[in-house]
Amino acid sequence: ETSKSTEAPPAKPASDKVVVGFSQIGAESGWRGAETQSIQDTAKADSTIELKFSDAQQKQENQIKAIRSFIAQKVDVIAMAPVVETGWEAVLKEAKDAKIPVILVDRGIDKKNEDLYTSFIGSDFILEGQNAAKAMAEHLGDKGNIIELEGTVGASAAIDRKKGFDDEMKNHPNIKIVKSQSGDFTRATGKQVMEAILKSPEGKDIQGVYAHNDDMALGAIQAIEEAGKKPGSDIKIVSVDGIKEAFEAIKAGKLNTVVECNPLLGPQLFQAAKDLKAGKQLPKWIKSNEEVFSGQKAIDALPNRKY
Ligand code: GZL
């Protein structure tokens, strides 16, 4: 009779490639598209990288499914841009039990789950919010009523850009945030929310708009124009990301300051994955360096913007 095989199932063949499973949020903004492009281009150009890419269409349950699939495929490294901060404990524990390191890209998760990921590659959103508030105060001559268009509810980028902005605004008591509402990081929702606010009592006397990303700012600019006002002069606009269209809006005098947030994270992601596979230690936070662009500085930078 055939002996029942008792040896362990064959281990995953050791390949010279680094296999990375990446769970992307979706395609909600120009920034997100630029990040996806950077990750896919970097992998395509590097024969030692095998990228398994999944687009969650903005749904957390799809990200969780993708991570489970990466675990089943025994990838070397799991990377993800977590759409919101909460709800990851179970699936990241499964990754930890499977001894697969996790790298967070561009958004964070609850501080209490810090032991469930190896490294976060991304920006200092609190600093971005502080820089946006300083720029807004300058544009307003330190007084006026403003609207805050928040990013996706529960997303670390939205939570911390709000925290940094609102904290800095404590130093500017003559600037009032008369309404703060989520536009979900999209142009369409940013426009809808701005239209509704402009029709409401709070929207009667507005001197500024702070948008947590350029797509919502560009939507708000359309709404302001359709309401017969001049964005960039009647109503000052400050936003975060730094997509090319935002620089073009500054050149057109419709947007006043953009706080850069770097989406070109492909090279840092795959370098980190290679380091992990080589057994190297990674810093808990691999920070992106960014600048603030207004006026002539933005106009001069426009030709060199990559996304
Ligand atoms: C920032 C990223 C944000 C961008 C938005 O790291 O998470 O999500 O600012 C994007 O444009 O939708």
Side-chain angles (χ1 to χ4, degrees), residues 63 110 181:
Q63 290 200 280
D110 263 344
Q181 189 174 338

Side-chain angles (χ1 to χ4, degrees), residues 14 25 41 70 116 132 139 143 152 166 175 183 192 196 225 236 241 260 272 281 285 289:
I25 292 174
D41 290 354
F70 296 149
L116 295 178
H139 291 308
K143 66 183 179 309
T152 301
D166 294 3
I175 297 177
Q192 281 157 14
E225 289 180 316
K236 305 296 184 190
D241 273 355
E260 184 186 29
Q281 286 296 316
W285 183 359
N289 299 315

Side-chain angles (χ1 to χ4, degrees), residues 148-152 158 162 180-185 210-212 216:
E148 184 170 354
L149 295 177
E150 302 176 15
T152 301
K162 179 169 184 55
S180 185
Q181 189 174 338
S182 175
D184 204 21
F185 280 135
Y210 165 48
H212 290 186
M216 294 190 291

Side-chain angles (χ1 to χ4, degrees), residues 22-23 49 67 69 72 77 119 138 162-163 169 179 189 191 193 203 208 220 236 246 251 256 271 292 298 300:
F22 180 68
S23 166
I49 294 284
I67 293 166
S69 159
V77 176
S119 194
E138 247 175 72
K162 179 169 184 55
K163 180 172 175 12
M169 273 305 164
K179 180 94 177 166
T189 313
K191 181 179 180 189
V193 168
K236 305 296 184 190
K251 188 171 180 182
N256 301 92
Q271 187 53 55
V292 180
D300 293 346

